[in-house]
Amino acid sequence: MRILGIESSCDDTACAVVEDGERILSNVVSSQDKLHERFGGIVPEIACRAHIENILPVMQQALDDAGLDFSAVDAVAVTMTPGLIGALLVGLASAKAVSWALDLPLIAVNHLEAHVYGAWLSGEEPALPAVSLVASGGHTVLYLTEGPLSHRVLGSTTDDAAGEAFDKVANVLKLGFPGGPAIERAARSGDPEAVRLPRAWLDRDTLDFSFSGVKTAVLYHCLGQNASRRDMERAAYTPQFVADVAASFQEAVVEVLAGKTRLAAEKTGASGVILGGGVGANNALRQRLLSELSPLGLPVVLTPPELCGDNAAMVAGLAYHLHAAGRTAPLSVEARP
Ligand code: KG4
Ligand code: ZN
């Protein structure tokens, strides 16, 4: 079964064709990074407008790359929650139009569950039940995953998402947007112990996260406590200072993400661990998860780095299982931010 997937929940316009939930025939992502860069973050109105311009060419490209036309597509899947409402609506309206015009089943997908499905697209079968860590720009969640369609929330962030903290710290360090890859690059020549930064374990027992404290600690370390926006603009750092702060910040975030994932595995007696979401591409996090979990003998399935960020292959892949379970959506289905 060939499913055309559509993803537009945030700032990437993406379409893909996936066969039987596992073979990626095409996977096109049109990034809007250049549009949002000068604002240091995603501007929802700009994202929506760009989705409108991009969605049809991206869909056509996904079909072309797969060497197919619409007649070879068996169903259309789309992210319907969570995300920026205007952005979600562009993908959803497009998917409904395809579904209605071609009389194809419509499948509505949860973006975070699609990120978990990225692990299945690695070709490895995750050991279940698994603790799944999804760390992205909008969310940081731990699930207990019993299968592609079964996820129970164990914990989530009480303030900033992990990726959001990367983006904001990159902004302070003038590393550009998106911040995650830039921090990872800068951190390579830095000392992770150069700056003492707080680790928000919260109550040791909870599986919730908090990243606003470490973000603020970086801001104070770089600019002092009463810095204005102008001070931030005027600041000039040496490359070594930037590298050391980036490495120390990355270490603080990775330590908590991996530590809480291990705690979740211990508490639930899970058989395996899954990593997904944009921050899941971070190599320090990938390595730390493996080293935290190997003493427990738990297999870790890492979403391939190129499928960690937003894409529609994960949407079309998960949709195969929803369709098989009879969970198609009516044309009246609504987007939920
Ligand atoms: O999953 P995603 O593409 O979009 C959302 O659903 O939010 O995640 C985007 C986030 C951004 O905050 C970006 O800075 C972060 O993932 N990210 C990274 C890396 N690559 C992307 N964070 C840390 N290290 C990376 N290599
Ligand atoms: Zn995402």
Side-chain angles (χ1 to χ4, degrees):
M1 173 175 210
R2 295 194 190 107
I3 299 184
L4 170 67
I6 300 174
E7 156 63 45
S8 70
S9 64
C10 194
D11 63 333
D12 293 306
T13 318
C15 292
V17 182
V18 177
E19 196 167 53
D20 297 338
E22 53 185 22
R23 278 180 300 285
I24 300 174
L25 304 185
S26 65
N27 188 22
V28 181
V29 181
S30 167
S31 161
Q32 301 180 8
D33 288 348
K34 286 273 160 293
L35 294 177
H36 300 283
E37 194 171 15
R38 69 190 177 103
F39 302 102
I42 294 157
V43 183
E45 177 68 11
I46 292 176
C48 299
R49 284 167 191 266
H51 283 311
I52 292 170
E53 284 172 17
N54 293 341
I55 192 85
L56 291 179
V58 168
M59 199 184 295
Q60 189 60 53
Q61 189 67 48
L63 289 169
D64 290 349
D65 286 0
L68 302 172
D69 59 27
F70 274 115
S71 66
V73 172
D74 301 303
V76 57
V78 62
T79 300
M80 51 79 75
T81 196
L84 304 169
I85 185 65
L88 288 165
L89 282 172
V90 178
L92 190 60
S94 312
K96 285 180 180 180
V98 172
S99 164
W100 181 75
L102 303 175
D103 198 19
L104 294 177
L106 176 68
I107 304 155
V109 172
N110 176 303
H111 181 79
L112 300 174
E113 296 180 0
H115 272 306
V116 177
Y117 194 74
W120 270 269
L121 292 173
S122 70
E124 273 177 75
E125 192 64 28
L128 301 173
V131 166
S132 301
L133 171 65
V134 176
S136 73
H139 299 85
T140 307
V141 195
L142 281 167
Y143 292 109
L144 187 66
T145 296
E146 309 256 11
L149 305 181
S150 169
H151 309 280
R152 178 164 65 81
V153 176
L154 300 170
S156 59
T157 184
T158 53
D159 43 54
D160 290 354
E164 188 180 355
F166 268 93
D167 294 335
K168 288 178 177 166
V169 164
N171 208 12
V172 172
L173 293 175
K174 301 170 180 270
L175 287 173
F177 176 84
I183 297 248
E184 179 167 13
R185 265 193 310 277
R188 281 190 206 125
S189 39
D191 172 5
E193 287 173 20
V195 188
R196 284 180 65 87
L197 293 171
R199 272 70 166 155
W201 294 105
L202 305 174
D203 174 352
R204 266 273 166 185
D205 239 18
T206 174
L207 296 173
D208 287 333
F209 299 94
S210 163
F211 294 107
S212 75
V214 65
K215 172 197 72 183
T216 306
V218 169
L219 179 68
Y220 289 177
H221 178 78
C222 294
L223 295 163
Q225 296 213 4
N226 296 312
S228 64
R229 179 152 283 281
R230 274 202 85 184
D231 294 332
M232 199 162 125
E233 281 160 11
R234 280 189 193 151
Y237 311 114
T238 65
Q240 195 55 50
F241 178 87
V242 171
D244 285 343
V245 174
S248 303
F249 166 76
Q250 177 172 272
E251 176 74 10
V253 173
V254 161
E255 189 180 318
V256 174
L257 286 172
K260 292 252 170 186
T261 305
R262 180 194 169 127
L263 178 63
E266 287 167 345
K267 280 180 114 160
T268 57
S271 302
V273 168
I274 284 171
L275 173 67
V279 183
N282 185 285
N283 216 37
L285 175 59
R286 297 169 81 85
Q287 294 312 320
R288 181 67 68 92
L289 260 191
L290 294 174
S291 63
E292 281 272 345
L293 274 306
S294 77
L296 301 185
L298 292 186
V300 182
V301 180
L302 304 167
T303 298
E306 67 279 10
L307 294 176
C308 281
D310 287 348
N311 67 86
M314 64 183 190
V315 174
L318 177 58
Y320 173 76
H321 297 271
L322 286 162
H323 184 267
R327 288 168 57 184
T328 54
L331 282 175
S332 57
V333 64
E334 288 182 10
R336 263 190 290 121

